[in-house]
Amino acid sequence: VVEGEDITLREFAVYVAYEESKVQEQAIAYDPTNTKKYWGLHTNGQFIKFAARNAAVSMAIHDELFYQLGIEKNITLTEEEEQTLGNDVMDFWADLTENAKEQRLGISKEDTELALRKIAIAEKAQAIYAKLNNVEYKDYHFEGEAFLEFLSQYDYKINEQIVDKLDFGDITINH
């Protein structure tokens, strides 16, 4: 819940798919014959699967905050940005349906489009906010110091009972 707005599991599914895909690429590079092994590694004080889950949660909170800021400031997408969004939706959906990941996530193409639209508006709001504050865009990345300071001004709550049940590394991936 970010500033009173729920992030549904349908919305969160895009972050699950993105983060699992990114980490799975690393898992394949680590051991192409047993990718599950990589997901179970312990590094920097936590298991890879939990680090991936935490990154997805942080990205979702980040994007929801900047999306809300964007809506509050009436930020919309230009025609060119709408085209880019359309291409991004098609690419993301194609990746999901390639191995029936959308079925494992329980989402539709429309769910994907809504989530990616929110992300696009959030990214645009982030860029504008960074420029207005004379800060680099990347400083407001979900792990950036400027973002963590920004985040401290807002109210958010992570439902640990739900998040802890998400078995990252096994949601969209068949090992």
Side-chain angles (χ1 to χ4, degrees), residues 41-56:
L41 287 178
H42 192 267
T43 183
N44 296 328
Q46 69 183 151
F47 289 99
I48 297 288
K49 68 187 310 167
F50 299 137
R53 182 192 66 204
N54 294 342

Side-chain angles (χ1 to χ4, degrees), residues 141-160:
H141 183 265
F142 74 93
E143 295 174 319
E145 217 172 287
F147 175 70
L148 296 176
E149 188 177 312
F150 173 80
L151 177 62
S152 70
Q153 302 169 41
Y154 294 92
D155 183 40
Y156 67 95
K157 180 181 158 213
I158 300 167
N159 187 330
E160 301 289 345

Side-chain angles (χ1 to χ4, degrees), residues 102-115:
E102 84 287 2
Q103 291 174 10
R104 294 182 70 148
L105 290 167
I107 61 172
S108 67
K109 187 174 182 182
E110 291 76 25
D111 296 325
T112 303
E113 183 175 358
L114 287 171

